[in-house]
Amino acid sequence: MKRFLVILLLLVAVSSVLTAQPRSLFELKLTGGVSYFVSPQELSDYWKWGFNGGVGFSYYLSPRLGISLIVDYSSFSFDAYEYKVKSGWMDRPDIHVEGKSTEMYTTGFNVSYALFQNFDLYVLAGAGYLYMPTREIRIREFDLDGETIIPWTRESTVVINAGAGISIPGDKFPVLFFEPRYAIGF
């Protein structure tokens, strides 16, 4: 069963193997940063900010227009404290909640367009495929010697994204860039 999924991927201080010379036709990108669930509510409530990393390969059709193939990995830690708060169990020391990290794998393509010729501010849009196994959550009630297990699920969906970025060229390589992206799955 597919769920409506909104993900905000904020890529911070990301490096790309480039030179400060005029843009070449091909680029290899190595990315890393932070990720955050916006919805559905269960994911944004019970999982913390995560980290991500990835690789990409870009081909430039012109100095301003590029196409990238990307593969990304993200990981989000379970927030047991927030789970107890939202469930109304904070005054229940007999209840113990634990869960594992949720991971997200995405692959796809982006098209980017530089807005100015002499300044590296760009917009991008793309599409791809997302696979996300959500790990089980265990709830133990010590007074009753019982355990409830919310089973893990596997979600896969088509994803579209849009964003903007700015690259900061260096004297040599790597070039740093800041690229917030908003992605939504169907």
Side-chain angles (χ1 to χ4, degrees):
M1 179 167 112
K2 299 202 185 231
R3 286 197 244 171
F4 179 70
L5 175 67
V6 178
I7 304 158
L8 176 65
L9 299 175
L10 178 64
L11 302 175
V12 182
V14 186
S15 44
S16 161
V17 182
L18 303 172
T19 63
Q21 311 306 320
R23 177 168 278 149
S24 63
L25 284 177
F26 301 99
E27 292 177 355
L28 173 64
K29 296 183 177 185
L30 305 174
T31 65
V34 295
S35 298
Y36 180 70
F37 285 113
V38 176
S39 90
Q41 197 65 42
E42 302 86 38
L43 293 175
S44 62
D45 282 351
Y46 307 138
W47 274 268
K48 300 177 185 178
W49 283 69
F51 69 89
N52 65 56
V55 295
F57 177 77
S58 297
Y59 175 74
Y60 287 91
L61 303 168
S62 74
R64 294 173 118 181
L65 182 64
I67 299 173
S68 300
L69 296 175
I70 55 170
V71 176
D72 287 320
Y73 166 83
S74 299
S75 180
F76 304 88
S77 298
F78 179 71
D79 193 340
Y81 177 81
E82 278 301 313
Y83 192 92
K84 281 186 79 168
V85 167
K86 302 266 191 222
S87 299
W89 296 336
M90 285 312 296
D91 59 346
R92 301 271 316 267
D94 61 319
I95 294 179
H96 177 74
V97 177
E98 65 182 41
K100 296 185 178 178
S101 294
T102 290
E103 298 166 337
M104 187 168 53
Y105 306 89
T106 55
T107 184
F109 73 94
N110 285 329
V111 175
S112 61
Y113 182 76
L115 298 175
F116 306 103
Q117 187 110 11
N118 298 326
F119 185 66
D120 282 343
L121 179 65
Y122 57 92
V123 294
L124 62 93
Y129 174 77
L130 175 138
Y131 172 73
M132 184 177 71
T134 303
R135 307 295 183 211
E136 67 187 26
I137 299 170
R138 293 179 175 267
I139 304 165
R140 291 191 191 108
E141 249 182 289
F142 294 113
D143 290 349
L144 302 176
D145 283 335
E147 180 176 71
T148 302
I149 298 174
I150 300 170
W152 69 288
T153 61
R154 295 180 212 165
E155 299 289 332
S156 57
T157 186
V158 173
V159 121
I160 59 171
N161 70 70
I166 184 169
S167 61
I168 305 159
D171 289 337
K172 304 220 181 214
F173 63 89
V175 169
L176 297 177
F177 61 93
F178 176 76
E179 184 182 282
R181 282 187 281 161
Y182 180 81
I184 183 170
F186 298 96

